Amino acid sequence: MSKILAFNWKTNPTSQKESIELFNSYKDNFDKIVNWNKIVFPPFVYLSKIVELANNENIKAFIGSQDISQYESGAHTSQISAKMIKDLGCDYALIGHSETRSELLTTSFDTAYKIKICLENNLKPILCVGFEPKLDNENIDFEELTNQIITAISSNETALSKLETFIIAYEPTWAIGTGKIPTLAQIESVSDFIISTIHDHFGADLSHKTSVLYGGSVNDSNISELTKSDKIAGFLIGGASLIPDKVQKIVEKLLDL
Ligand code: PGA
């Protein structure tokens, strides 16, 4: 399976003009890394423009939304549904990013509903899992990870098994936007833990289809080391994806491997 390079723009850039420039700046670099699947997550308001650019300028990337409503339509002021996102030509949605868990109070139960509605609308969910450190250190909170994984997948396992690949992004909150990353051994142990948790609770079929991405301060200086691991199926990159120069360096590093 191709590895995945996913870019999460969060609430950036702050004008459509800049979003167009940023997306256009990816074209040559994306053309070079043919064996990586590229997925870009712009803010909702730019999605239709970015899908149009990807098609018209032949920029080889899938486009996704950073979240979706758990409802398909109806009286849910401010919410954007999976049906709308699919209708724009998007293929993916991030579900349960730690910033939506902390700022929009998305619960693990909500992630289960959001995954369900994604699958019903042919949108591929990328489930984000992570944790706040409980103590004053960076220990892995396996209990919280287990809870996030099991709650999100329960009742969706049959539909998820029909996907070619079910993607989970492991993003420890202390590593997001901080410049700090876990050791490779820590990321690998969490990747193993995610796969074995799915295996034990939902069976071999779904666990074999699960790919684990790592996210949190990935950039051009640490990506080579992280790419060595066959337990990391790719990356979800925030800050560095906004800087064309850094994207170019990331791509150069991937080409060097
Ligand atoms: P970061 O963000 O690369 O800026 O740490 C990653 C993410 O939150 O998806």
Side-chain angles (χ1 to χ4, degrees):
M1 204 209 92
S2 296
K3 289 204 171 193
I4 294 162
L5 188 63
F7 288 171
N8 176 12
W9 288 2
K10 309 191 180 189
T11 310
N12 303 293
T14 48
S15 71
Q16 178 159 279
K17 183 171 170 285
E18 289 167 289
S19 79
I20 293 169
E21 285 164 8
L22 179 60
F23 190 64
N24 276 332
S25 76
Y26 295 160
K27 182 174 170 34
D28 293 346
N29 289 310
F30 281 7
D31 279 347
K32 288 181 197 154
I33 40 170
V34 274
N35 52 346
W36 285 72
N37 271 332
K38 285 77 67 182
I39 314 171
V40 180
F41 295 94
F44 288 118
V45 286
Y46 307 140
L47 282 173
S48 92
K49 191 71 199 170
I50 298 297
V51 169
E52 186 188 310
L53 272 179
N55 293 336
N56 292 353
E57 305 297 324
N58 195 20
I59 301 174
K60 295 187 183 63
F62 296 102
I63 311 300
S65 62
Q66 297 171 15
D67 193 10
I68 47 135
S69 169
Q70 66 197 60
Y71 304 106
E72 189 162 277
S73 62
H76 307 289
T77 301
S78 89
Q79 303 200 37
I80 310 284
S81 78
K83 215 179 187 59
M84 297 170 186
I85 296 299
K86 185 69 195 176
D87 180 62
L88 289 183
C90 294
D91 289 294
Y92 287 88
L94 290 181
I95 303 294
H97 187 280
S98 69
E99 284 148 18
T100 72
R101 290 181 195 256
S102 65
E103 294 170 1
L104 301 177
L105 309 185
T106 300
T107 66
S108 289
F109 289 107
D110 297 333
T111 66
Y113 290 118
K114 287 171 189 247
I115 287 176
K116 178 170 184 289
I117 206 123
C118 271
L119 296 172
E120 285 170 359
N121 287 283
N122 262 326
L123 215 51
K124 296 180 191 109
I126 298 187
L127 173 66
C128 302
V129 297
F131 50 84
E132 298 285 352
K134 263 192 192 148
L135 309 164
D136 193 18
N137 62 29
E138 291 154 6
N139 283 346
I140 299 165
D141 187 343
F142 287 110
E143 202 184 316
E144 175 60 18
L145 279 178
T146 307
N147 173 44
Q148 290 183 4
I149 295 164
I150 293 179
T151 312
I153 297 177
S154 290
S155 79
N156 288 316
E157 61 262 42
T158 313
L160 283 170
S161 298
K162 296 194 180 117
L163 291 176
E164 202 179 316
T165 313
F166 172 42
I167 306 170
I168 295 190
Y170 167 52
E171 299 201 302
T173 54
W174 58 265
I176 295 177
T178 59
K180 293 197 285 180
I181 63 165
T183 62
L184 186 56
Q186 273 177 330
I187 302 173
E188 289 185 319
S189 79
V190 173
S191 174
D192 283 342
F193 178 78
I194 291 172
I195 303 287
S196 67
T197 302
I198 294 177
H199 183 277
D200 295 350
H201 289 86
F202 306 108
D205 190 27
L206 187 56
S207 76
H208 290 149
K209 288 185 161 178
T210 304
S211 287
V212 179
L213 311 186
Y214 169 73
S217 294
V218 176
N219 59 38
D220 51 304
S221 34
N222 53 33
I223 200 161
S224 303
E225 170 75 4
L226 297 172
T227 309
K228 283 184 198 150
S229 173
D230 60 5
K231 295 179 182 195
I232 305 175
F235 307 100
L236 182 55
I237 304 182
S241 75
L242 301 170
I243 305 166
D245 199 40
K246 281 205 181 285
V247 171
Q248 180 168 344
K249 288 199 176 115
I250 285 171
V251 167
E252 280 164 9
K253 291 282 162 63
L254 297 180
L255 286 169
D256 275 352
L257 293 167

